[in-house]
Amino acid sequence: MSHPAPAVEPTPTPTPPASDPLPVIGIDPGQTWTACVLRVEDHAEFGWTMGPVGANGQLLKSALSDPDNWVAFGRYVAKLRDALDELVDHAIQRWGVVRIGVEVPHVPVGYRNSSPKFQRLPVRDWLVPRQVAAAVIGAYPEAKKVVADGHGRRPASEYPRELRGARPHHWGPNQFRNGERDHERAAYDVAGVAARMPR
């Protein structure tokens, strides 16, 4: 499946004056669900949460259970990339500029060579998010790398209305079980950290 060239590469987007709001797309990659939120200052403009699909294109939560299934992972990344490219295009058309921030998980301590500690966390739980983050950085090399740090874990009342309760009807899909918003709140936090990084 072919994809268009990244909307912000290879020509860097213009840098807006410091007084202008900087739209930022925050991405929270997960083992099963990945969320993306377009944030402008403290407002959540748009978002989606997507999961993997089976060979028939239908949502399949277990599609990434085998971390060696590169075909399934390729389908997942292609789906995410299409949606991300579309959101980048939208942001550039509206504001003329956009920044991308993606959460980058570290290798858990128990998997590092120097650690004698046994790691019980399933390898796919950190490997797949790391691979998704790498795919985003490969597509958008200027993306800000935001270290995982409890994003999305503040009380729901501290987030904008768009990230609490009923979802805005114009937002993208939320394929997370029971329509939970955890990943989207995490993506919002990632965008906030990325917005504060040097331009």
Side-chain angles (χ1 to χ4, degrees):
M1 182 175 186
S2 62
H3 298 284
V8 296
E9 295 294 335
T11 304
T13 54
T15 302
S19 59
D20 288 351
L22 176 66
V24 182
I25 296 172
I27 302 164
D28 176 51
Q31 187 274 323
T32 305
W33 317 102
T34 293
C36 182
V37 168
L38 172 59
R39 175 175 176 167
V40 181
E41 296 184 324
D42 291 333
H43 181 63
E45 288 279 339
F46 186 83
W48 47 253
T49 301
M50 296 187 188
V53 295
N56 62 358
Q58 296 297 313
L59 185 67
L60 181 62
K61 182 180 175 182
S62 63
L64 299 176
S65 294
D66 177 4
D68 285 329
N69 188 340
W70 285 98
V71 173
F73 181 74
R75 286 194 300 263
Y76 186 43
V77 169
K79 174 183 178 180
L80 298 176
R81 173 70 189 277
D82 285 345
L84 178 57
D85 287 347
E86 184 176 336
L87 188 53
V88 167
D89 287 344
H90 165 75
I92 289 177
Q93 288 172 10
R94 181 167 176 183
W95 288 281
V97 65
V98 68
R99 172 177 288 182
I100 295 174
V102 60
E103 185 177 82
V104 288
H106 286 302
V107 175
V109 172
Y111 284 103
R112 298 176 190 167
N113 292 335
S114 60
S115 175
K117 184 178 178 182
F118 176 70
Q119 180 58 256
R120 295 181 179 177
L121 181 71
V123 67
R124 69 177 183 271
D125 286 4
W126 63 268
L127 183 60
V128 172
R130 190 175 174 93
Q131 290 178 171
V132 170
V136 170
I137 294 166
Y140 294 94
E142 294 182 356
K144 300 295 183 181
K145 291 85 173 168
V146 178
V147 176
D149 188 24
H151 301 121
R153 294 185 182 172
R154 291 182 288 141
S157 60
E158 296 184 13
Y159 289 91
R161 180 182 51 79
E162 294 82 10
L163 292 167
R164 294 179 280 119
R167 227 155 156 273
H169 69 278
H170 66 279
W171 278 35
N174 182 3
Q175 298 174 338
F176 193 32
R177 63 181 182 276
N178 301 325
E180 294 174 36
R181 314 294 301 284
D182 302 36
H183 283 285
E184 290 175 1
R185 287 194 282 264
Y188 174 86
D189 284 347
V190 168
V193 174
R196 294 189 294 273
M197 292 180 172
R199 296 194 182 196

